[in-house]
Amino acid sequence: MWRRAALCCLLLGSFLRPAGGLNLCLSGSATSCEECLLTHASCAWCAQEDFGQGRFLTSRCDFSENLQNRGCAERFIEYPKSTIYVLKDRALSSKESGWAQYDIVQISPQKISLSLRPGDQTQFNLQVRQVEDYPVDLYYLMDLSLSMKDDLETILNLGTRLAEEMGKLTSNFRLGFGSFVDKNMSPFSHTAPKYQDNPCNGFKLFPTCVPAFGFRHILSLTDEVDRFNEEVQKQMVSRNRDAPEGGFDAILQAAVCQEKIGWRKGARHLLVFTTDDVPHLALDGRLGGLVQPHDGQCHLNEQNEYNASTKMDYPSLALLGEKLAENDIFLIFAVTKQVYVIYKNFTALIPGTSVEILDQDSKNVIQLIISAYNNIRSTVELTVWDHPDDVSLSFTAACQDEKPQSGLRKCTDIKIGDTVSFSVSVEARSCPPRGANQSFTIKPVGFKDRLEVSVDYLCDCGCSQTAQANSSICSSIGMYNCGTCRCEPGYLGARCECQEGDASGLHLSSCREAEGKQVCSGRGECSCNQCVCYESEFGKIYGSFCECDDFSCARHKGILCSGHGECHCGECKCHAGYVGDNCYCSTEMSPCISDNGQMCSGRGNCVCGRCQCTEPGAFGDTCEKCPTCPDACGTKRECIECRLFNSGMLADNQTCQRLCKDKIITVETLDPDEPGAVLCLYKTDNDCVMKFTYSEHASGLSVLTALKEPECGGGPDALTVLLAVVGSILLVGVVLLVAWKLIITVHDWRAFARFQNARSRARYEMASNPLYKQPISTHFLETDFNVFGKSHNGGVH
């Protein structure tokens, strides 16, 4: 056991002492207990009166074990440590617990208190669980400019259909409705007298419409969905002058007018924003002479119309995000694909916001809302409110069945009822002014539940409470505090025994760091056995021998320690979340996590909080774009299947909309020679071939161009194929037999011809050859011939 303890002490000493052997406590300029505590979290102060008496000066600021080894009693050592006190920790709610609507607990603990010593890092854990069947309030905010006329006709019965679908997810659902157009003033709307009552006057396609308005709250949140349908059927479109709409005015009013809208405290708040064009932003109002910034307050009159539309500018993105978060509202941008990229960029600036592609006539709005709500329910993301400037926070997420990921404060693809955990590391960098109370809040985006954290700082030493002014220990001309004297101006020495300029007490050996070194490192004067360091325009020179300063550390782009650390005696002491010689390298990993949960999409490494892509052809903030990567076609195939045909792996786990955010264009015929496009194809389940191209535009938008339908050829009948194969084999056999017979016949004919020719030659040769005689001879008797001859000639018979 003692060997293990010794090893731990050795490792601790190695950690506290950098490779160069620098003791951070001794190298500091601490002349008081409070300054010592601020030097480093490992430093302790000895308040013992007789500590370090002797010829050489001995620092009272050192590691606790060093002070004890040099004779400081433990009771005189000031060494505070950061502590955590849990003040409120109710158990997390679950479906079976029988919770009441306003008694739901989805985060634990709920309140803690931190006592932080600057530089000392401590941590606490919190858990989050989304409760099943949670109440939902949905406010439908619709653009009623003229281009949305067909959308208005589509949603006439939206309330009934939406209530049916949401009823599958929650038994407590309420629905509200509001609309907007734009500020009714020039140059945003038509202001000529003939357009006052009818902005569509003279417009042939649609000659009648209502006057323009900024925002109009029509129906407060209610569970009577028939009223929603009735109010929608009463609405008429209007017409503004320029292309952008005044939607951000409407979003802000819908968020802050809590009583008018009817948001419930014990419900999840969804704000669905539908439009087909871009919004006006802050400072656009100056085009109409509106120089007053938006005050972020509710301005609905008795008719529930926004009456400050022509008095204040449009709200900024920062103000919009602040008010949405304050009121726990999830904003869902439901926009057409022409403006999708613009609103997608807004989601990166407004926490708790998502964007979905809306059809031109809003016919897919129900599927869009259900998909967005499922994504919201499957995500837990922590935000920090009122974060003190001198407190550093870093997060580690432990999501379901996954290893803890440092720097991540978000979990995705979780199921209702699952519990996710986060570890939060806290470090105070400095001490606030005395008496300042610090606190901050950690809350999941869109949740009413939160963790309240109060902070106090361990910046004062206990021994300071017994400080003595004009103490006899300090020659009655200084204050005795924590074992040291603070002398009056003009006096020096450990006990204020010397006056400035008094050479009689000068001992140069006490002012040299080592034999042969310069007195006070050449950056100070030796007075009364102590170094008095020179002042510098660059910073502070300090140390027992003026060997240290706070300006000789590494820089990044001219900024000392990159602005993320403190310079101590030539070395950067990085704040929490940063490492490196110049503290430039961030340890935050969340910027490297891609939408699919992989680090740098599996195509690179996270270095200093940024992805360095290692896969050739990969680029993007998280290396998510790579048309030439081997797996690019396979990855995009899943998006084609789920987005166009609602099939494939991504269609089952409700992650299609979250992972597949590329723009998809369907065409009748595909151009495989499109510049910069990669042609992909795959075989479908019914043996058809699906073709699409994958390209990255200069704007950063990923585009998939796919055929509307897979290419399918008529499948041949199996029996026909079999008969064709057998017939082919027989035909080939017959052809071979005929060819063989023909060859044999020709060969026989040629042999017979040769035989006939040889026979003819043989006959000729027998007839003309005198040596050859016939095998049969004919003999005639001469007597007989004569007798017959005579008889004939003489007439005798």
Side-chain angles (χ1 to χ4, degrees):
M1 180 65 69
W2 66 269
R3 291 182 178 178
R4 185 179 299 176
L7 179 60
C8 292
C9 292
L10 180 61
L11 292 175
L12 178 63
S14 300
F15 173 74
L16 296 176
R17 296 175 177 85
L22 175 67
N23 186 325
L24 295 175
C25 305
L26 295 177
S27 65
S29 59
T31 58
S32 67
C33 181
E34 286 75 13
E35 290 182 2
C36 178
L37 298 185
L38 289 174
T39 300
H40 194 272
S42 62
C43 299
W45 178 267
C46 179
Q48 186 172 314
E49 179 182 346
D50 59 352
F51 177 77
Q53 290 184 353
R55 178 182 176 185
F56 297 101
L57 296 174
T58 301
S59 175
R60 293 177 177 269
C61 185
D62 204 342
F63 304 132
S64 178
E65 60 270 24
N66 290 350
L67 295 176
Q68 293 185 55
N69 292 337
R70 288 193 273 122
C72 185
E74 186 176 358
R75 69 179 184 274
F76 291 110
I77 295 178
E78 297 280 344
Y79 185 46
K81 295 183 178 180
S82 299
T83 54
I84 299 174
Y85 304 96
V86 179
L87 305 179
K88 185 178 181 180
D89 189 11
R90 296 172 56 198
L92 293 171
S93 300
S94 62
K95 182 180 180 182
E96 293 79 15
S97 62
W99 41 264
Q101 178 177 342
Y102 297 102
D103 197 31
I104 300 172
V105 178
Q106 297 186 104
I107 187 171
S108 175
Q110 295 82 44
K111 184 179 291 187
I112 63 174
S113 174
L114 303 178
S115 294
L116 301 179
R117 176 181 172 178
D120 185 21
Q121 190 175 94
T122 188
Q123 66 180 25
F124 61 87
N125 297 321
L126 62 92
Q127 294 181 321
V128 181
R129 178 194 298 162
Q130 295 204 53
V131 179
E132 189 172 352
D133 199 26
Y134 199 76
V136 176
D137 289 345
L138 188 150
Y139 192 78
Y140 195 88
L141 185 57
M142 184 174 182
D143 178 3
L144 283 187
S145 59
L146 189 58
S147 58
M148 296 287 286
K149 182 179 182 298
D150 54 344
D151 300 74
L152 182 60
E153 296 172 354
T154 302
I155 68 166
L156 291 179
N157 296 314
L158 174 65
T160 303
R161 293 180 291 141
L162 187 57
E164 291 176 356
E165 293 298 325
M166 290 298 294
K168 301 175 184 179
L169 305 175
T170 177
S171 61
N172 194 342
F173 175 67
R174 298 202 310 175
L175 187 62
F177 183 70
S179 60
F180 67 91
V181 182
D182 205 347
K183 297 181 182 296
N184 193 11
M185 60 184 299
S186 183
F188 314 114
S189 298
H190 296 279
T191 57
K194 66 177 182 177
Y195 296 122
Q196 287 297 314
D197 297 326
N198 181 16
C200 295
N201 187 8
F203 190 66
K204 295 182 180 180
L205 295 177
F206 194 71
T208 304
C209 58
V210 298
F213 56 91
F215 165 65
R216 182 176 294 158
H217 169 55
I218 299 170
L219 177 65
S220 299
L221 292 163
T222 178
D223 54 5
E224 300 176 5
V225 295
D226 290 338
R227 289 191 57 198
F228 180 92
N229 295 336
E230 292 173 2
E231 294 298 336
V232 171
Q233 292 172 4
K234 297 177 185 178
Q235 303 308 308
M236 294 183 63
V237 294
S238 181
R239 183 188 180 200
N240 57 327
R241 190 172 188 176
D242 59 355
E245 321 290 8
F248 279 9
D249 270 342
I251 292 175
L252 186 62
Q253 293 304 298
V256 299
C257 298
Q258 291 279 304
E259 296 182 1
K260 293 275 190 178
I261 304 299
W263 297 114
R264 294 176 292 177
K265 292 184 178 179
R268 181 170 286 115
H269 304 155
L270 305 182
L271 178 57
V272 179
F273 176 86
T274 61
T275 186
D276 61 351
D277 219 320
V278 297
H280 275 297
L281 303 176
L283 301 181
D284 284 357
R286 297 194 176 190
L287 297 173
L290 302 179
V291 296
Q292 180 182 350
H294 204 290
D295 59 5
Q297 301 299 316
C298 178
H299 295 280
L300 292 185
N301 57 22
E302 295 180 356
Q303 289 75 34
N304 287 331
E305 290 194 5
Y306 177 42
N307 59 7
S309 178
T310 57
K311 299 177 182 178
M312 290 187 294
D313 193 8
Y314 298 96
S316 65
L317 289 172
L319 179 61
L320 207 60
E322 177 185 342
K323 295 303 177 181
L324 289 170
E326 282 182 4
N327 296 285
D328 305 323
I329 295 175
F330 287 102
L331 175 60
I332 302 172
F333 288 123
V335 300
T336 53
K337 61 183 180 181
Q338 291 86 351
V339 295
Y340 172 82
V341 175
I342 296 175
Y343 284 91
K344 178 63 177 176
N345 294 333
F346 290 155
T347 62
L349 303 174
I350 307 176
T353 307
S354 60
V355 59
E356 305 289 344
I357 297 180
L358 184 72
D359 288 346
Q360 289 293 341
D361 57 357
S362 297
K363 63 182 179 181
N364 69 329
V365 67
I366 293 181
Q367 295 84 352
L368 181 151
I369 293 173
I370 298 300
S371 175
Y373 181 61
N374 284 328
N375 288 336
I376 290 171
R377 292 203 310 169
S378 65
T379 302
V380 172
E381 181 178 4
L382 299 182
T383 57
V384 181
W385 284 84
D386 301 324
H387 185 188
D389 293 335
D390 52 12
V391 173
S392 294
L393 298 176
S394 60
F395 293 81
T396 299
C399 305
Q400 285 294 318
D401 301 326
E402 294 182 8
K403 296 181 179 179
Q405 298 189 51
S406 177
L408 192 64
R409 61 172 75 181
K410 179 179 180 180
C411 287
T412 58
D413 294 333
I414 61 176
K415 299 178 181 178
I416 297 299
D418 288 346
T419 302
V420 294
S421 301
F422 297 89
S423 176
V424 186
S425 296
V426 189
E427 179 184 344
R429 295 193 293 264
S430 60
C431 291
R434 294 184 183 274
N437 295 323
Q438 303 280 9
S439 64
F440 60 92
T441 300
I442 299 177
K443 65 186 298 291
V445 174
F447 284 53
K448 70 177 183 62
D449 306 77
R450 63 195 66 203
L451 169 60
E452 297 178 357
V453 183
S454 59
V455 182
D456 63 85
Y457 299 81
L458 301 176
C459 296
D460 296 325
C461 297
C463 55
S464 297
Q465 299 178 1
T466 59
Q468 302 173 14
N470 298 321
S471 171
S472 59
I473 301 176
C474 302
S475 306
S476 300
I477 49 176
M479 175 178 287
Y480 180 74
N481 184 20
C482 294
T484 63
C485 290
R486 293 185 181 178
C487 304
E488 296 290 341
Y491 292 89
L492 300 172
R495 295 292 179 261
C496 305
E497 69 275 17
C498 298
Q499 286 185 308
E500 291 183 4
D502 185 2
S504 60
L506 185 63
H507 297 286
L508 297 181
S509 59
S510 300
C511 296
R512 287 191 175 95
E513 188 174 5
E515 189 67 28
K517 292 288 187 73
Q518 287 184 297
V519 174
C520 298
S521 303
R523 303 200 294 180
E525 295 181 353
C526 185
S527 179
C528 200
N529 303 334
Q530 299 182 69
C531 284
V532 179
C533 302
Y534 297 138
E535 293 183 356
S536 173
E537 61 180 335
F538 301 107
K540 183 178 181 181
I541 299 175
Y542 58 90
S544 300
F545 307 100
C546 302
E547 74 278 12
C548 295
D549 60 60
D550 60 1
F551 53 82
S552 296
C553 294
R555 299 171 182 263
H556 177 71
K557 294 184 178 180
I559 301 176
L560 191 67
C561 298
S562 304
H564 302 306
E566 308 294 335
C567 182
H568 286 283
C569 204
E571 292 193 5
C572 289
K573 178 178 177 292
C574 301
H575 299 156
Y578 293 90
V579 296
D581 294 339
N582 58 6
C583 301
Y584 172 70
C585 187
S586 172
T587 60
E588 183 76 13
M589 306 290 284
S590 56
C592 297
I593 304 296
S594 59
D595 288 337
N596 60 8
Q598 288 186 302
M599 188 69 67
C600 298
S601 304
R603 301 184 182 122
N605 302 315
C606 189
V607 179
C608 297
R610 294 183 178 181
C611 283
Q612 292 185 355
C613 304
T614 56
E615 184 78 23
F619 63 100
D621 293 338
T622 57
C623 305
E624 74 281 5
K625 300 177 180 180
C626 186
T628 59
C629 287
D631 61 340
C633 287
T635 302
K636 301 304 179 183
R637 166 189 173 174
E638 297 175 353
C639 294
I640 292 291
E641 288 179 333
C642 74
R643 288 272 297 277
L644 295 185
F645 308 109
N646 195 29
S647 62
M649 294 185 296
L650 297 184
D652 298 331
N653 54 14
Q654 303 297 330
T655 58
C656 182
Q657 293 295 330
R658 180 175 62 84
L659 296 181
C660 301
K661 300 175 181 178
D662 301 331
K663 181 179 180 181
I664 298 181
I665 301 174
T666 57
V667 295
E668 295 289 347
T669 57
L670 201 62
D671 181 13
D673 299 326
E674 181 183 352
V678 176
L679 177 63
C680 303
L681 53 89
Y682 66 90
K683 191 175 183 180
T684 63
D685 294 337
N686 55 356
D687 293 333
C688 297
V689 176
M690 184 63 191
K691 296 181 181 180
F692 64 93
T693 59
Y694 170 31
S695 61
E696 296 286 347
H697 287 188
S699 62
L701 178 66
S702 300
V703 177
L704 302 176
T705 304
L707 294 175
K708 288 185 177 181
E709 297 292 338
E711 294 180 349
C712 299
D717 182 69
L719 181 60
T720 303
V721 173
L722 179 61
L723 293 177
V725 172
V726 173
S728 299
I729 294 174
L730 292 176
L731 179 62
V732 171
V734 171
V735 170
L736 291 176
L737 287 174
V738 171
W740 177 77
K741 181 63 176 175
L742 181 61
I743 293 172
I744 294 299
T745 301
V746 171
H747 180 270
D748 290 347
W749 181 81
R750 288 179 178 177
F752 179 74
R754 287 195 299 272
F755 171 75
Q756 289 288 82
N757 188 25
R759 184 178 179 183
S760 299
R761 288 198 304 269
R763 287 178 179 176
Y764 172 78
E765 291 174 353
M766 287 187 297
S768 59
N769 189 353
L771 298 178
Y772 181 80
K773 294 182 178 181
Q774 290 289 341
I776 300 175
S777 302
T778 303
H779 302 276
F780 298 99
L781 294 177
E782 186 178 351
T783 57
D784 291 339
F785 177 75
N786 295 330
V787 173
F788 280 110
K790 290 179 177 180
S791 177
H792 182 284
N793 296 327
V796 179
H797 298 282

